[in-house]
Amino acid sequence: MSVKDRTRASKCAFGTKTAEFHVCTGCGVVPVVTSRIDGCLYPVVSVNAFENVEPALLRRAPATFEGENEQARLSRRKRNWIADVRFEATS
């Protein structure tokens, strides 16, 4: 994924502030959410931000995080999100 115009990317955090939501200021889409855990950056990418994804390839399942404490939340992200990435500037 690349950001052609960095002025159109903004970040926000909610509640526990353990994750940053990367938002397109033009359309409001959140293509990626990141969480820094134990000094490493863990992202999760929203498949809904991609175009032309074949719905048959997706597996949907209900999820609830109600009552999840901060440690449980970070542990779940560490298990399920992409491990230790870096964002690099491109020209």
Side-chain angles (χ1 to χ4, degrees):
M1 172 174 38
S2 65
V3 176
K4 293 178 183 174
D5 181 357
R6 288 185 178 264
T7 63
R8 292 187 60 160
S10 125
K11 297 178 191 175
C12 63
F14 304 99
T16 62
K17 299 190 183 333
T18 58
E20 285 190 318
F21 294 75
H22 300 255
V23 183
C24 172
T25 60
C27 67
V29 168
V30 179
V32 66
V33 179
T34 57
S35 185
R36 187 158 299 279
I37 306 167
D38 299 330
C40 298
L41 190 64
Y42 289 81
V44 65
V45 177
S46 173
V47 69
N48 295 319
F50 296 109
E51 296 176 349
N52 303 317
V53 173
E54 177 60 44
L57 297 175
L58 304 177
R59 182 179 40 163
R60 299 192 186 274
T64 181
F65 307 115
E66 190 72 30
E68 184 178 57
N69 68 30
E70 187 173 317
Q71 187 56 46
R73 179 168 295 170
L74 294 176
S75 293
R76 174 181 46 79
R77 289 176 184 162
K78 200 170 183 178
R79 274 190 322 275
N80 298 327
W81 291 18
I82 303 165
D84 198 13
V85 300
R86 289 183 310 232
F87 287 101
E88 295 184 8
T90 59
S91 51

